[in-house]
Amino acid sequence: MTAPDLLTFGEAMVSLRSTGPLASGATLSMHLAGAESNVAVGVARLGHRAAWVSRVSTDEFGEYVLRQLRAEGVGVDGVTRDAERQTGLMFLEQRSADLTRVQYYRAGSAGSALRVDDVKAPLATGARMLHLTGITPALSDTAREATRWAAETAAAAGVPVCLDVNYRARLWSREAARAVLTPLAAYASTVIASVDELDLVGDPGADESTVVADLLGRGVETVLVKLGADGARAHTADGVTHAGVLPVTAVDTVGAGDAFTAGYLSGWFDGLDLAGRLRRAATLGAFAVSTRGDCEGLPRRAELALLDGHEAGSVLR
C-alpha cells in the first residue's frame, strides 16, 4: 500500500440539514459530516493522497459515509466495520437566516468506539503527516487512548503531527479537554486553535504570546491562531505572520475551520512557504463559508484561483 500524504482518524457522521424549523417539518437533506473527514476531502480534492481511519457501522448510514469518501478519492481501506453500533447523526436546523442550531445523536456510535488496534496498521504504512483533532479524544476513553498512542508513535517515527484543537463543549468540559490536549500538543509540529481555544493547550491564565512561547519551547514548529473574519496569525521561531481573508459572501460557516486546515496542509505538501500555505488556507476557508455544506464547496486544484480578484455576483463565461 502506498503511504498517503495525509493520515487522519475520527468519527464521521451523517448530517441531516433542514432549510427551516424542524418542528414545522422542514425538508431534510443528507450530507457527510466530521472534522477529520472534511480535512481528508479537502486535501484529496487538491490532488494529494488522503486516508481516513475510523470505526463505521454496517447500517445504511455507514455505507453512505464510505461511499461518499470513496467518491472523493479518500482512502478508507483501514476502516473497521462495526455491526454492533450505529452511525452518529447530527441535525442542522436553519432556524433563521442568521442562526443555525445543531443537535447530535452520537452517543454509543461506532466512531466513538475507536481504539488503538484500529489505528495501528494504518499508521504503520507511513504518512507524510498525521492529522488529529481535539474532538476524537473527547468521544470515549478508548478513542482518547488511540489519539495519544497515535500521536506518540508518529512523533517517535519522525512523522509530523498536526493537532487542531477543535473544542466541542457538548463533548467535554474545558478542564477535561485541557488535561488531555496540553500534553498531546507536545507531540505536534503544528498546532491549530482559535483564540478562545489557546488556553486548552497551555496555561489558562496566560495570554497568546505566552502560550505560543510555551508551545514553541516544547517543540511545536508552527502555531496557527484562527481569528475568524480577521484572518489568522502564524507563530514560528522566526516571528509572527498575519494572513487576511478573501472577501466573499458568507452563507454557511460550518466546516470553515476544517477547510482552513486542509488548505494549510495542502500548501505544506506542495512545499509552499509560510505565506503561501496561509494564502491557500484562507482560500479554502473562503470557499467553505461561501457555499453550503460541511465540505461540498471545497475547491479542486484547477479552481484555486477562482476567488482571486472576484466581485460579488461574478459570472464566469
Side-chain angles (χ1 to χ4, degrees), residues 278-306:
L278 291 171
R279 172 69 179 183
R280 187 169 294 178
T283 297
L284 262 68
F287 271 101
V289 301
S290 58
T291 52
R292 298 193 183 280
D294 281 53
C295 60
E296 284 89 333
L298 296 179
R300 290 168 175 79
R301 187 169 289 265
E303 298 176 313
L304 281 174
L306 281 179

Short mmCIF file of all heavy atoms in Angstrom, two decimals, residues 278-306:
data_model
loop_
_atom_site.label_atom_id
_atom_site.label_comp_id
_atom_site.label_asym_id
_atom_site.label_seq_id
_atom_site.Cartn_x
_atom_site.Cartn_y
_atom_site.Cartn_z
N LEU A 278 -0.54 29.89 4.16
CA LEU A 278 -1.62 30.68 4.74
C LEU A 278 -2.58 31.18 3.67
O LEU A 278 -3.80 31.24 3.88
CB LEU A 278 -1.04 31.85 5.52
CG LEU A 278 -0.30 31.49 6.81
CD1 LEU A 278 0.40 32.71 7.38
CD2 LEU A 278 -1.25 30.88 7.83
N ARG A 279 -2.05 31.55 2.51
CA ARG A 279 -2.91 32.01 1.42
C ARG A 279 -3.85 30.89 0.97
O ARG A 279 -5.04 31.11 0.75
CB ARG A 279 -2.03 32.46 0.24
CG ARG A 279 -2.79 32.78 -1.04
CD ARG A 279 -3.62 34.03 -0.89
NE ARG A 279 -4.33 34.34 -2.14
CZ ARG A 279 -5.09 35.41 -2.30
NH1 ARG A 279 -5.22 36.28 -1.32
NH2 ARG A 279 -5.71 35.61 -3.44
N ARG A 280 -3.30 29.68 0.86
CA ARG A 280 -4.16 28.57 0.45
C ARG A 280 -5.17 28.23 1.54
O ARG A 280 -6.32 27.89 1.25
CB ARG A 280 -3.32 27.34 0.10
CG ARG A 280 -4.18 26.21 -0.51
CD ARG A 280 -3.34 25.11 -1.11
NE ARG A 280 -2.59 25.59 -2.27
CZ ARG A 280 -1.74 24.82 -2.96
NH1 ARG A 280 -1.54 23.56 -2.59
NH2 ARG A 280 -1.11 25.30 -4.00
N ALA A 281 -4.76 28.33 2.79
CA ALA A 281 -5.70 28.09 3.89
C ALA A 281 -6.85 29.09 3.84
O ALA A 281 -8.02 28.72 3.99
CB ALA A 281 -4.97 28.20 5.23
N ALA A 282 -6.53 30.36 3.61
CA ALA A 282 -7.56 31.39 3.51
C ALA A 282 -8.46 31.15 2.31
O ALA A 282 -9.69 31.38 2.38
CB ALA A 282 -6.91 32.77 3.42
N THR A 283 -7.89 30.68 1.21
CA THR A 283 -8.68 30.41 0.01
C THR A 283 -9.71 29.31 0.27
O THR A 283 -10.88 29.45 -0.07
CB THR A 283 -7.76 30.01 -1.15
OG1 THR A 283 -6.88 31.09 -1.47
CG2 THR A 283 -8.57 29.64 -2.39
N LEU A 284 -9.28 28.21 0.88
CA LEU A 284 -10.22 27.13 1.15
C LEU A 284 -11.26 27.56 2.17
O LEU A 284 -12.44 27.18 2.08
CB LEU A 284 -9.49 25.88 1.62
CG LEU A 284 -9.25 24.85 0.50
CD1 LEU A 284 -8.25 25.40 -0.51
CD2 LEU A 284 -8.79 23.52 1.05
N GLY A 285 -10.85 28.38 3.15
CA GLY A 285 -11.83 28.88 4.11
C GLY A 285 -12.88 29.73 3.43
O GLY A 285 -14.07 29.66 3.77
N ALA A 286 -12.47 30.54 2.44
CA ALA A 286 -13.42 31.38 1.72
C ALA A 286 -14.40 30.54 0.91
O ALA A 286 -15.60 30.83 0.86
CB ALA A 286 -12.65 32.34 0.80
N PHE A 287 -13.90 29.50 0.26
CA PHE A 287 -14.80 28.60 -0.47
C PHE A 287 -15.80 27.96 0.48
O PHE A 287 -16.99 27.81 0.16
CB PHE A 287 -14.00 27.51 -1.19
CG PHE A 287 -13.56 27.87 -2.57
CD1 PHE A 287 -12.26 28.26 -2.81
CD2 PHE A 287 -14.44 27.80 -3.65
CE1 PHE A 287 -11.84 28.59 -4.09
CE2 PHE A 287 -14.03 28.12 -4.93
CZ PHE A 287 -12.71 28.52 -5.16
N ALA A 288 -15.33 27.57 1.66
CA ALA A 288 -16.20 26.88 2.61
C ALA A 288 -17.33 27.76 3.09
O ALA A 288 -18.49 27.33 3.13
CB ALA A 288 -15.38 26.38 3.80
N VAL A 289 -17.03 29.00 3.49
CA VAL A 289 -18.08 29.85 4.05
C VAL A 289 -19.03 30.40 2.99
O VAL A 289 -20.14 30.82 3.32
CB VAL A 289 -17.48 31.03 4.87
CG1 VAL A 289 -16.62 30.52 6.00
CG2 VAL A 289 -16.72 31.99 3.97
N SER A 290 -18.61 30.39 1.74
CA SER A 290 -19.46 30.96 0.68
C SER A 290 -20.30 29.91 -0.02
O SER A 290 -20.99 30.21 -1.00
CB SER A 290 -18.60 31.72 -0.33
OG SER A 290 -17.62 30.88 -0.91
N THR A 291 -20.24 28.65 0.45
CA THR A 291 -21.10 27.59 -0.07
C THR A 291 -21.67 26.81 1.10
O THR A 291 -21.09 26.78 2.18
CB THR A 291 -20.31 26.63 -0.98
OG1 THR A 291 -19.14 26.18 -0.29
CG2 THR A 291 -19.92 27.30 -2.27
N ARG A 292 -22.79 26.17 0.91
CA ARG A 292 -23.44 25.43 1.99
C ARG A 292 -22.93 23.99 2.04
O ARG A 292 -22.62 23.39 1.03
CB ARG A 292 -24.96 25.45 1.81
CG ARG A 292 -25.55 26.86 1.87
CD ARG A 292 -27.07 26.85 2.00
NE ARG A 292 -27.59 28.21 1.98
CZ ARG A 292 -27.59 29.01 3.04
NH1 ARG A 292 -27.11 28.58 4.19
NH2 ARG A 292 -28.08 30.25 2.95
N GLY A 293 -22.86 23.47 3.27
CA GLY A 293 -22.41 22.10 3.47
C GLY A 293 -21.09 22.06 4.19
O GLY A 293 -20.34 23.04 4.23
N ASP A 294 -20.76 20.91 4.76
CA ASP A 294 -19.51 20.76 5.51
C ASP A 294 -18.30 20.81 4.60
O ASP A 294 -17.28 21.40 4.93
CB ASP A 294 -19.52 19.43 6.27
CG ASP A 294 -20.34 19.50 7.54
OD1 ASP A 294 -21.51 19.90 7.47
OD2 ASP A 294 -19.81 19.16 8.61
N CYS A 295 -18.37 20.14 3.46
CA CYS A 295 -17.20 20.06 2.58
C CYS A 295 -17.57 20.12 1.10
O CYS A 295 -16.69 20.08 0.24
CB CYS A 295 -16.40 18.78 2.86
SG CYS A 295 -17.34 17.25 2.62
N GLU A 296 -18.84 20.26 0.79
CA GLU A 296 -19.29 20.21 -0.60
C GLU A 296 -18.66 21.30 -1.48
O GLU A 296 -18.40 21.09 -2.66
CB GLU A 296 -20.82 20.33 -0.68
CG GLU A 296 -21.56 19.06 -0.28
CD GLU A 296 -21.85 19.00 1.22
OE1 GLU A 296 -21.09 19.61 2.00
OE2 GLU A 296 -22.82 18.32 1.61
N GLY A 297 -18.42 22.48 -0.92
CA GLY A 297 -17.94 23.59 -1.71
C GLY A 297 -16.43 23.68 -1.83
O GLY A 297 -15.91 24.62 -2.46
N LEU A 298 -15.69 22.75 -1.23
CA LEU A 298 -14.24 22.83 -1.28
C LEU A 298 -13.74 22.70 -2.72
O LEU A 298 -14.25 21.90 -3.50
CB LEU A 298 -13.62 21.73 -0.41
CG LEU A 298 -13.92 21.86 1.09
CD1 LEU A 298 -13.28 20.72 1.87
CD2 LEU A 298 -13.42 23.20 1.63
N PRO A 299 -12.71 23.49 -3.09
CA PRO A 299 -12.29 23.53 -4.49
C PRO A 299 -11.38 22.38 -4.89
O PRO A 299 -10.73 21.74 -4.05
CB PRO A 299 -11.51 24.85 -4.55
CG PRO A 299 -10.89 24.95 -3.18
CD PRO A 299 -11.96 24.42 -2.24
N ARG A 300 -11.34 22.15 -6.19
CA ARG A 300 -10.31 21.30 -6.77
C ARG A 300 -9.16 22.20 -7.21
O ARG A 300 -9.31 23.41 -7.26
CB ARG A 300 -10.90 20.50 -7.92
CG ARG A 300 -11.87 19.43 -7.40
CD ARG A 300 -12.72 18.78 -8.44
NE ARG A 300 -13.51 17.71 -7.85
CZ ARG A 300 -14.63 17.88 -7.15
NH1 ARG A 300 -15.10 19.12 -6.96
NH2 ARG A 300 -15.28 16.86 -6.63
N ARG A 301 -8.03 21.60 -7.51
CA ARG A 301 -6.83 22.39 -7.76
C ARG A 301 -7.03 23.43 -8.86
O ARG A 301 -6.56 24.57 -8.75
CB ARG A 301 -5.66 21.46 -8.10
CG ARG A 301 -4.32 22.18 -8.21
CD ARG A 301 -3.18 21.19 -8.27
NE ARG A 301 -2.96 20.53 -6.99
CZ ARG A 301 -2.08 20.94 -6.08
NH1 ARG A 301 -1.37 22.03 -6.29
NH2 ARG A 301 -1.92 20.29 -4.95
N ALA A 302 -7.74 23.06 -9.91
CA ALA A 302 -7.94 23.99 -11.02
C ALA A 302 -8.82 25.17 -10.64
O ALA A 302 -8.88 26.17 -11.37
CB ALA A 302 -8.56 23.24 -12.21
N GLU A 303 -9.50 25.08 -9.49
CA GLU A 303 -10.40 26.14 -9.07
C GLU A 303 -9.79 27.08 -8.02
O GLU A 303 -10.43 28.03 -7.59
CB GLU A 303 -11.67 25.53 -8.47
CG GLU A 303 -12.47 24.67 -9.46
CD GLU A 303 -13.66 24.00 -8.81
OE1 GLU A 303 -13.48 23.42 -7.71
OE2 GLU A 303 -14.76 24.06 -9.40
N LEU A 304 -8.55 26.85 -7.62
CA LEU A 304 -7.97 27.61 -6.53
C LEU A 304 -7.93 29.11 -6.80
O LEU A 304 -8.01 29.92 -5.87
CB LEU A 304 -6.55 27.11 -6.23
CG LEU A 304 -6.46 25.82 -5.41
CD1 LEU A 304 -5.01 25.35 -5.32
CD2 LEU A 304 -7.06 26.01 -4.03
N ALA A 305 -7.81 29.50 -8.07
CA ALA A 305 -7.69 30.93 -8.39
C ALA A 305 -9.04 31.59 -8.68
O ALA A 305 -9.08 32.78 -8.98
CB ALA A 305 -6.77 31.11 -9.59
N LEU A 306 -10.12 30.84 -8.54
CA LEU A 306 -11.44 31.39 -8.91
C LEU A 306 -11.81 32.62 -8.11
O LEU A 306 -12.49 33.53 -8.62
CB LEU A 306 -12.52 30.32 -8.73
CG LEU A 306 -12.66 29.25 -9.82
CD1 LEU A 306 -13.77 28.28 -9.45
CD2 LEU A 306 -12.93 29.89 -11.17
#
